[in-house]
Amino acid sequence: MLLAGRHILLGVTGSIAAYKAAMLVRLLVKAGAEVRVVMTEAARDFITPLTLATLCKHPVLVDNFDPTNGAWNSHVSLGEWADHYLIAPATANTLAKMASGMADNLLLCSYLSARCPVSVAPAMDLDMYRHAATRHNLEILHNHYGVNIIEPRDGELASGLVGKGRMAEPEEIVDYLTRAFAGEKEGALAGRRILVTAGATVEPIDPVRFVSNYSTGKMGYALAEALADRGAEVTLVTGQATARLAGRYPNLTTVRALSAAEMYEACERLFPAMDGAVFCAAVADYTPARPMGEKYKHDPAQPFLLELKPTVDIAAAMGRIKRTDGAGRQVTIGFALETAPTGAEGQGMAYAREKLEKKNLDAIVLNSLSDVGAGFGTDTNKVAILDREAAIELPLKSKREVAEDIADYMTRKFAQLC
Ligand code: C5P
């Protein structure tokens, strides 16, 4: 799930292990990554661009320009596009050129232009791998240029010799990339104080009866954990919830607030010291106007009329006191649960956009009860994240994965403030 939506630029060089690039692309695409491939002339002798282009659904680039029409293949835009540049297999020749800053093909130009982390998975015969020149080049790449080396494995080599030089298996490389992205997230929100509201509020009618809703708190709890995993100081203000936190977090504090009024009080007190908030709770819009101190004695002969009064809209109230300027600017995200489908620019989107404005939010997460697998109590959710610039429609995912996406969004928002 950490690879979902990531831009991976795969560089393929001329080694027999190039045939494994097909499996690598397939696994990356399956993990949700967007993959583009650039290869050297020599790599074409081992695997065709057509194979890789079919698997990644983008043309594979080899030359600096298209010889048929002169169109420029920009290494700069490839380097900018990539979240990670993986060169697999990386031959001794390409490693040597990278170490000395040569730029005589598109793959190398892209390396010199890349602003993202770069990893190489060397593949060569054992003597080439242990030659002092190759050792030296790998050392320069790793120690001086910060390139990650995915160590080759011991085993049978194409030459028939046995030793170190086999490219790591595609599954191992994908695991490696996943860990690299996980490490990048670690601490991404360190020092940020974030409030999360979750669960259902409970509005008392009398000491034994109440008005509430079906929210279980799963989404909000998953979100609190995803934010805490990134190092944020999280305060989880929770109403009634059957969800439980999966882990123990020294940086996550839970505050119980059962009714809408209690939740408002807690948020009003806590919000000013926060850097951001996610309003995930299903807060009752109305509460009994005159809750009874004693248990109501029912009379089967009489109808029971319950007068309800509106509650405070917590998200909107925080939106009014939110700091919107400078480095102390607060980032707030709300949720909109609609019965119209989330898809396309439908009514659900229009309602959500209205709430975005009314509650002065940075973004709103739209979900719909009409989408299969979304809504109360399920372990999955299908959402769209809307802000003033764009709407990101996400496929059906686990609530924890949706929480990761929202935490990613929040991380990007904070990064823009710096
Ligand atoms: O207007 P609506 O209830 O659909 O808005 C949902 C969003 O507003 C959610 O983020 C919810 O947590 C928040 N909300 C709130 N206080 C209320 C009602 C909704 O914070 N009283």
Side-chain angles (χ1 to χ4, degrees):
M1 82 194 160
L2 287 166
L3 291 177
R6 296 296 189 157
H7 292 177
I8 313 278
L9 180 62
L10 174 66
V12 183
T13 69
S15 150
I16 176 64
Y19 80 92
K20 292 186 186 171
M23 182 53 88
L24 195 49
V25 173
R26 213 177 89 77
L27 291 174
L28 290 170
V29 169
K30 221 170 139 195
E34 207 179 309
V35 182
R36 306 246 165 151
V37 180
V38 51
M39 61 203 288
T40 60
E41 268 298 328
R44 289 165 90 149
D45 295 331
F46 293 96
I47 187 162
T48 70
L50 179 62
T51 307
L52 299 176
T54 310
L55 290 168
C56 76
K57 301 188 176 66
H58 290 288
V60 168
L61 305 176
V62 179
D63 300 310
N64 283 310
F65 60 92
D66 182 336
T68 56
N69 59 13
W72 183 243
N73 291 328
S74 170
H75 53 276
V76 176
S77 52
L78 276 177
E80 274 175 359
W81 172 85
D83 294 322
H84 201 107
Y85 189 12
L86 167 69
I87 302 175
T91 58
N93 182 47
T94 291
L95 293 172
K97 288 180 175 180
M98 285 169 71
S100 58
M102 286 178 69
D104 63 358
N105 62 36
L106 184 63
L107 183 144
L108 291 167
C109 290
S110 303
Y111 164 62
L112 289 176
S113 323
R115 294 178 180 178
C116 59
V118 178
S119 300
V120 293
M124 64 200 76
D125 213 40
L126 80 162
D127 294 308
M128 293 173 80
Y129 185 66
R130 67 182 173 205
H131 195 283
T134 307
R135 311 297 323 147
H136 177 70
N137 290 332
L138 284 169
E139 198 186 297
I140 291 183
L141 286 173
H142 183 64
N143 294 345
H144 296 267
Y145 305 153
V147 172
N148 308 300
I149 316 290
I150 307 174
E151 286 286 316
R153 306 289 175 246
D154 261 314
E156 203 175 308
L157 302 163
S159 59
L161 297 173
V162 176
K164 197 163 181 179
R166 269 172 77 97
M167 186 178 82
E169 291 305 320
E171 289 81 1
E172 293 172 314
I173 297 177
V174 172
D175 276 356
Y176 179 91
L177 281 186
T178 309
R179 283 198 305 277
F181 282 118
E184 199 181 274
K185 286 187 179 199
E186 239 168 63
L189 289 172
R192 300 285 183 189
R193 283 154 302 178
I194 303 177
L195 176 83
V196 177
T197 69
T201 65
V202 169
E203 311 299 324
I205 298 170
D206 68 15
V208 292
R209 303 175 178 97
F210 56 81
V211 176
S212 191
N213 58 66
Y214 293 118
S215 173
T216 57
K218 274 184 187 163
M219 191 63 245
Y221 277 52
L223 197 48
E225 289 192 309
L227 295 166
D229 277 341
R230 286 166 170 74
E233 290 293 326
V234 179
T235 307
L236 172 66
V237 177
T238 176
Q240 179 110 300
T242 53
R244 293 286 167 265
L245 292 170
R248 292 170 78 82
Y249 295 86
N251 53 333
L252 197 164
T253 312
T254 303
V255 174
R256 296 275 290 169
L258 267 192
S259 65
E262 283 169 11
M263 195 173 272
Y264 170 62
E265 249 177 61
C267 290
E268 197 190 26
R269 177 169 52 83
L270 294 164
F271 183 70
M274 297 287 153
D275 298 301
V278 188
F279 301 104
C280 200
V283 186
D285 296 313
Y286 295 94
T287 190
R290 279 174 290 276
M292 292 170 249
E294 298 293 324
K295 186 180 174 194
Y296 175 70
K297 298 278 174 247
H298 73 286
D299 176 358
Q302 297 295 323
F304 174 63
L305 294 178
L306 182 65
E307 189 189 343
L308 300 172
K309 63 173 186 189
T311 57
V312 178
D313 186 325
I314 302 168
M318 298 309 115
R320 285 192 289 277
I321 59 169
K322 168 175 165 178
R323 291 188 299 274
T324 50
D325 291 321
R329 188 185 177 296
Q330 290 169 302
V331 174
T332 58
I333 300 180
F335 271 71
L337 176 66
E338 303 294 344
T339 44
T342 47
E345 282 290 329
Q347 196 56 45
M349 290 267 185
Y351 289 142
R353 283 192 197 287
E354 264 173 41
K355 287 176 194 175
L356 182 76
E357 295 306 330
K358 194 176 126 206
K359 300 177 197 236
N360 191 21
L361 299 162
D362 289 273
I364 190 151
V365 181
L366 168 64
N367 57 356
S368 167
L369 286 181
S370 68
D371 286 326
V372 180
F376 295 121
T378 58
D379 287 323
T380 51
N381 208 355
K382 184 175 181 311
V383 307
I385 305 175
L386 278 76
D387 62 17
R388 288 175 181 78
E389 276 101 52
I392 313 166
E393 275 185 59
L394 299 169
L396 186 71
K397 294 179 176 203
S398 73
K399 283 190 173 163
R400 179 63 207 217
E401 286 172 305
V402 172
E404 295 289 338
D405 289 333
I406 298 168
D408 279 348
Y409 178 89
M410 208 151 193
T411 307
R412 286 200 296 274
K413 273 276 157 194
F414 279 124
Q416 285 163 11
L417 302 184
C418 299

